[in-house]
Amino acid sequence: MRDYKVVVLGAGGVGKSSVTVQFVQGVYVESYDPTIEDSYRKQIEIDGRACDLEILDTAGVAQFTAMRELYIKSGKGFLLVYSVTDENSLKELLALREQVLRIKDSDNVPMVLIGNKCDLKDDRVLSIEDGIKVSQDWGCVPFYETSAMYKTNVDEAFIDVVRQIMRKEAAITAEKKQAKQLQKQNALENSNNAANTGGTDKKANDDGNFDTKSTRTRNTKSSQKENNDEFGNKKEKSINKCCVIM
């Protein structure tokens, strides 16, 4: 079972806690109580793989924004929530997304955009097209309109972000495996090249030894020939003798 940490981000009052509790417990929380930090765990099977999700429901009010960086650093996937009844809540997500990308130092971060409270049709000020446009501006980030009250698209949003995390981890594993195979192949090629170079040097040394031996043999024969006279007799070396008369 793999552990995945998912962080829920958004402005205050957009329904982050309601969406999270509905996913984890199947209960709708109607009353609004500003969250400082709530952590939930849920075991779920996605695509035949058992997953243990740790879901961090973060504060949306301004005085707790300093804690947000810690949540983002530890998170693997992010649900960015706004309310379709509050235009400013969508604008706040633009800055939140930039903060996530900056802290994670990547443009490829598992992320889902959620437009919550889609059941409040009379209070709606943002259309589906508004959410789709932001999704496209973010590089076609998956977008869901949800209702925490009726559990509309709640499970789908969480499952989507976990699938993104799985795909990213699989891609990283594949890249590491490929790099390891390439390193192994390069090491093998270097070893073969070194062996071939060693064989060439040995042959050159053997040829050099043969040439030296042949030259030494020729020099010896030439010396012997010079020491023989024309009749083949060995020449006597002339020795100067000094006589001392007393």
Side-chain angles (χ1 to χ4, degrees), residues 10 23 49 51 70 116 129 156 191 208 218 220 226 231 239:
F23 173 69
R49 180 181 298 181
C51 306
L70 298 176
N116 192 37
E129 288 72 21
E156 289 81 356
S191 177
R218 288 196 299 269
T220 302
E226 289 176 357
F231 300 105
I239 302 176

mmCIF file of all heavy atoms in Angstrom, residues 10 23 49 51 70 116 129 156 191 208 218 220 226 231 239:
data_model
loop_
_atom_site.group_PDB
_atom_site.id
_atom_site.type_symbol
_atom_site.label_atom_id
_atom_site.label_comp_id
_atom_site.label_asym_id
_atom_site.label_seq_id
_atom_site.Cartn_x
_atom_site.Cartn_y
_atom_site.Cartn_z
ATOM 1 N N GLY A 10 -7.437 26.701 -0.932
ATOM 2 C CA GLY A 10 -8.472 27.598 -1.437
ATOM 3 C C GLY A 10 -8.764 28.689 -0.434
ATOM 4 O O GLY A 10 -8.307 28.656 0.717
ATOM 5 N N PHE A 23 -15.828 13.320 1.124
ATOM 6 C CA PHE A 23 -15.036 12.260 0.495
ATOM 7 C C PHE A 23 -14.594 11.204 1.510
ATOM 8 O O PHE A 23 -14.664 10.002 1.250
ATOM 9 C CB PHE A 23 -13.810 12.859 -0.192
ATOM 10 C CG PHE A 23 -12.841 11.836 -0.717
ATOM 11 C CD1 PHE A 23 -13.168 11.023 -1.780
ATOM 12 C CD2 PHE A 23 -11.591 11.677 -0.121
ATOM 13 C CE1 PHE A 23 -12.278 10.068 -2.266
ATOM 14 C CE2 PHE A 23 -10.697 10.732 -0.583
ATOM 15 C CZ PHE A 23 -11.046 9.925 -1.657
ATOM 16 N N ARG A 49 -4.940 -0.758 -7.227
ATOM 17 C CA ARG A 49 -3.837 -0.529 -6.296
ATOM 18 C C ARG A 49 -4.368 0.072 -4.995
ATOM 19 O O ARG A 49 -5.123 1.043 -5.019
ATOM 20 C CB ARG A 49 -2.804 0.420 -6.902
ATOM 21 C CG ARG A 49 -1.619 0.710 -5.988
ATOM 22 C CD ARG A 49 -0.655 1.669 -6.619
ATOM 23 N NE ARG A 49 -0.082 1.143 -7.842
ATOM 24 C CZ ARG A 49 0.818 1.795 -8.585
ATOM 25 N NH1 ARG A 49 1.226 2.998 -8.219
ATOM 26 N NH2 ARG A 49 1.288 1.251 -9.679
ATOM 27 N N CYS A 51 -4.348 2.260 -1.817
ATOM 28 C CA CYS A 51 -3.731 3.546 -1.494
ATOM 29 C C CYS A 51 -4.170 4.002 -0.107
ATOM 30 O O CYS A 51 -5.336 3.844 0.265
ATOM 31 C CB CYS A 51 -4.127 4.607 -2.514
ATOM 32 S SG CYS A 51 -3.797 4.175 -4.236
ATOM 33 N N LEU A 70 4.632 25.031 4.367
ATOM 34 C CA LEU A 70 4.965 23.729 4.935
ATOM 35 C C LEU A 70 4.070 22.650 4.359
ATOM 36 O O LEU A 70 4.520 21.539 4.061
ATOM 37 C CB LEU A 70 4.830 23.769 6.462
ATOM 38 C CG LEU A 70 5.760 24.745 7.191
ATOM 39 C CD1 LEU A 70 5.449 24.743 8.685
ATOM 40 C CD2 LEU A 70 7.217 24.369 6.956
ATOM 41 N N ASN A 116 -16.636 24.516 -6.447
ATOM 42 C CA ASN A 116 -17.581 23.925 -5.500
ATOM 43 C C ASN A 116 -18.885 24.742 -5.430
ATOM 44 O O ASN A 116 -18.960 25.862 -5.917
ATOM 45 C CB ASN A 116 -16.935 23.836 -4.121
ATOM 46 C CG ASN A 116 -17.735 22.983 -3.152
ATOM 47 O OD1 ASN A 116 -18.320 21.973 -3.553
ATOM 48 N ND2 ASN A 116 -17.791 23.385 -1.897
ATOM 49 N N GLU A 129 -17.907 27.726 -17.969
ATOM 50 C CA GLU A 129 -16.914 28.210 -18.936
ATOM 51 C C GLU A 129 -15.789 28.979 -18.248
ATOM 52 O O GLU A 129 -14.634 28.937 -18.715
ATOM 53 C CB GLU A 129 -17.587 29.108 -19.983
ATOM 54 C CG GLU A 129 -18.458 28.382 -20.992
ATOM 55 C CD GLU A 129 -19.760 27.856 -20.396
ATOM 56 O OE1 GLU A 129 -20.183 28.386 -19.334
ATOM 57 O OE2 GLU A 129 -20.339 26.927 -20.980
ATOM 58 N N GLU A 156 -14.576 11.720 -7.715
ATOM 59 C CA GLU A 156 -13.859 11.790 -8.991
ATOM 60 C C GLU A 156 -12.676 12.756 -8.920
ATOM 61 O O GLU A 156 -11.605 12.491 -9.490
ATOM 62 C CB GLU A 156 -14.818 12.225 -10.105
ATOM 63 C CG GLU A 156 -15.835 11.181 -10.510
ATOM 64 C CD GLU A 156 -17.042 11.121 -9.573
ATOM 65 O OE1 GLU A 156 -17.039 11.853 -8.555
ATOM 66 O OE2 GLU A 156 -17.986 10.358 -9.865
ATOM 67 N N SER A 191 34.524 -0.723 -20.974
ATOM 68 C CA SER A 191 35.305 -1.912 -20.627
ATOM 69 C C SER A 191 35.784 -2.637 -21.873
ATOM 70 O O SER A 191 36.934 -3.071 -21.957
ATOM 71 C CB SER A 191 34.459 -2.841 -19.757
ATOM 72 O OG SER A 191 35.165 -4.020 -19.457
ATOM 73 N N GLY A 208 57.432 -5.561 -31.393
ATOM 74 C CA GLY A 208 58.650 -4.827 -31.054
ATOM 75 C C GLY A 208 59.703 -5.758 -30.511
ATOM 76 O O GLY A 208 60.891 -5.651 -30.843
ATOM 77 N N ARG A 218 71.038 -10.269 -36.247
ATOM 78 C CA ARG A 218 71.778 -9.791 -37.427
ATOM 79 C C ARG A 218 73.074 -9.131 -37.023
ATOM 80 O O ARG A 218 74.122 -9.300 -37.644
ATOM 81 C CB ARG A 218 70.884 -8.812 -38.217
ATOM 82 C CG ARG A 218 69.721 -9.493 -38.959
ATOM 83 C CD ARG A 218 69.142 -8.564 -40.004
ATOM 84 N NE ARG A 218 68.622 -7.340 -39.376
ATOM 85 C CZ ARG A 218 67.360 -7.219 -38.965
ATOM 86 N NH1 ARG A 218 66.534 -8.232 -39.105
ATOM 87 N NH2 ARG A 218 66.969 -6.097 -38.420
ATOM 88 N N THR A 220 74.900 -9.724 -34.418
ATOM 89 C CA THR A 220 75.857 -10.747 -33.953
ATOM 90 C C THR A 220 76.528 -11.428 -35.128
ATOM 91 O O THR A 220 77.749 -11.636 -35.147
ATOM 92 C CB THR A 220 75.123 -11.784 -33.095
ATOM 93 O OG1 THR A 220 74.512 -11.106 -31.996
ATOM 94 C CG2 THR A 220 76.081 -12.828 -32.577
ATOM 95 N N GLU A 226 82.887 -9.990 -39.547
ATOM 96 C CA GLU A 226 83.981 -9.030 -39.580
ATOM 97 C C GLU A 226 85.214 -9.590 -38.906
ATOM 98 O O GLU A 226 86.348 -9.246 -39.248
ATOM 99 C CB GLU A 226 83.545 -7.739 -38.886
ATOM 100 C CG GLU A 226 82.507 -6.961 -39.694
ATOM 101 C CD GLU A 226 82.043 -5.746 -38.937
ATOM 102 O OE1 GLU A 226 82.510 -5.579 -37.790
ATOM 103 O OE2 GLU A 226 81.239 -4.959 -39.477
ATOM 104 N N PHE A 231 89.676 -16.107 -45.694
ATOM 105 C CA PHE A 231 89.728 -17.563 -45.767
ATOM 106 C C PHE A 231 88.846 -18.201 -44.713
ATOM 107 O O PHE A 231 88.834 -19.416 -44.546
ATOM 108 C CB PHE A 231 91.169 -18.056 -45.576
ATOM 109 C CG PHE A 231 92.090 -17.507 -46.652
ATOM 110 C CD1 PHE A 231 92.966 -16.486 -46.353
ATOM 111 C CD2 PHE A 231 92.026 -17.998 -47.946
ATOM 112 C CE1 PHE A 231 93.803 -15.984 -47.326
ATOM 113 C CE2 PHE A 231 92.870 -17.477 -48.910
ATOM 114 C CZ PHE A 231 93.778 -16.471 -48.626
ATOM 115 N N ILE A 239 98.209 -7.139 -30.398
ATOM 116 C CA ILE A 239 98.453 -6.692 -29.040
ATOM 117 C C ILE A 239 99.784 -5.950 -29.032
ATOM 118 O O ILE A 239 100.814 -6.480 -29.441
ATOM 119 C CB ILE A 239 98.510 -7.868 -28.068
ATOM 120 C CG1 ILE A 239 97.156 -8.650 -28.156
ATOM 121 C CG2 ILE A 239 98.766 -7.413 -26.666
ATOM 122 C CD1 ILE A 239 97.169 -9.898 -27.299
#
